[in-house]
Amino acid sequence: MASFKSRIKKLSSDKSPLILANDYESGVSDMESRTVRNIKTLSPYLCAIKFNFHFLLPLGQKQIAKINKIAHDHHMQTIADIKLNDIGNTNNVTAETLWGMGFDSVIANPIMGPGNLEKLISHAHKNNNGVISLCHMSSPEAQLTYELPVQLKSKKTILYHLFLEWATSLGADGIIVGATFPDIVSFCKKKSKGKLSIYSPGIGTQGGDIQKTIQSGSDYLIVGRTILNSKNPKETAKSLFDLAKN
């Protein structure tokens, strides 16, 4: 089997760089059937679909495995967006469970430290799966944390610069950088010398612009509420697809 990085790159080339953030708000019923409908209806326009904690927790392993299989049958990769962040053994046990349910990759929080992140990446790659590492998120409050100054023994830096450095040197499959910060997307692309794929949430509802984000260097565009809350999700996905392909 090809690596996760190769699989999603091919699907992006064949279809588009759009990824659906299937993260429904609280109080929404029938999340499983809604998700299956999304996959079947929107898959021509998407290379992947991601699921956050609040979507996964109410479901059982069989339900999640079923959803992942349907996504794969419709030529989409699946991403567990759980911001995994713990010691090496806990991360590996969690990852094994995710791979067992059919996930292709996991989003991790590098605050766990480079040693634990390296072990997680190695574990994922042995299974042809991927790790996408947080670098700078899309919400306005991300500036309060990801842009904090950090004092290391040998130098001063900024937190997201450090996260970028770790992801690049440890061979992560990609990083998360919000579409709402195109200058940071551009910085990360140049600093990593193209070695890292950039996944950008925040398209649409949060204010991220598709074409500006692509021009800044993002490889994958994560869209959630713009599609999920649309009166016609298929039509909305198609319009975003057209923008991403032009």
Side-chain angles (χ1 to χ4, degrees), residues 137-140 177-183 185 200-203 206-209 213:
M137 295 177 71
S138 56
S139 66
V177 183
T180 46
F181 297 97
D183 290 345
V185 172
S200 291
I203 296 291
Q206 283 188 298
D209 177 82
T213 306

Side-chain angles (χ1 to χ4, degrees), residues 79-190:
I79 302 168
D81 183 7
I82 65 171
K83 279 80 173 181
L84 185 57
N85 169 31
D86 217 304
I87 61 172
N89 182 62
T90 300
N91 290 337
N92 285 352
V93 171
T94 303
E96 281 291 344
T97 302
L98 294 172
W99 311 151
M101 290 188 290
F103 280 104
D104 297 288
S105 62
V106 63
I107 294 178
N109 189 336
I111 203 72
M112 68 175 76
N116 290 319
L117 181 60
E118 182 176 28
K119 290 176 183 175
L120 178 61
I121 292 170
S122 176
H123 180 276
H125 288 177
K126 286 177 182 177
N127 291 274
N128 292 313
N129 293 318
V131 175
I132 302 165
S133 187
L134 294 179
C135 188
H136 194 295
M137 295 177 71
S138 56
S139 66
E141 287 194 353
Q143 292 178 291
L144 300 177
T145 51
Y146 289 88
E147 296 180 31
L148 282 172
V150 178
Q151 177 66 60
L152 301 177
K153 290 182 179 179
S154 57
K155 63 178 180 179
K156 290 183 179 179
T157 187
I158 297 173
L159 188 59
Y160 83 84
H161 289 191
L162 186 62
F163 288 167
L164 173 65
E165 182 183 318
W166 289 351
T168 305
S169 63
L170 299 176
D173 298 274
I175 54 172
I176 297 288
V177 183
T180 46
F181 297 97
D183 290 345
I184 294 178
V185 172
S186 180
F187 171 84
C188 291
K189 196 66 175 182
K190 291 176 182 177

Side-chain angles (χ1 to χ4, degrees), residues 18-25 38 42 46 138 179-180 200-210 221-241 243:
L18 292 175
I19 295 173
L20 177 64
N22 195 78
D23 304 329
Y24 283 103
E25 297 176 4
N38 287 342
L42 306 178
L46 306 170
S138 56
T180 46
S200 291
I203 296 291
T205 300
Q206 283 188 298
D209 177 82
I210 281 184
L221 309 166
I222 301 174
V223 188
R225 285 170 288 175
T226 300
I227 293 175
L228 297 182
N229 296 339
S230 171
K231 292 181 179 179
N232 190 329
K234 184 175 182 179
E235 186 178 293
T236 300
K238 174 65 166 59
S239 65
L240 294 171
F241 170 90
L243 285 172

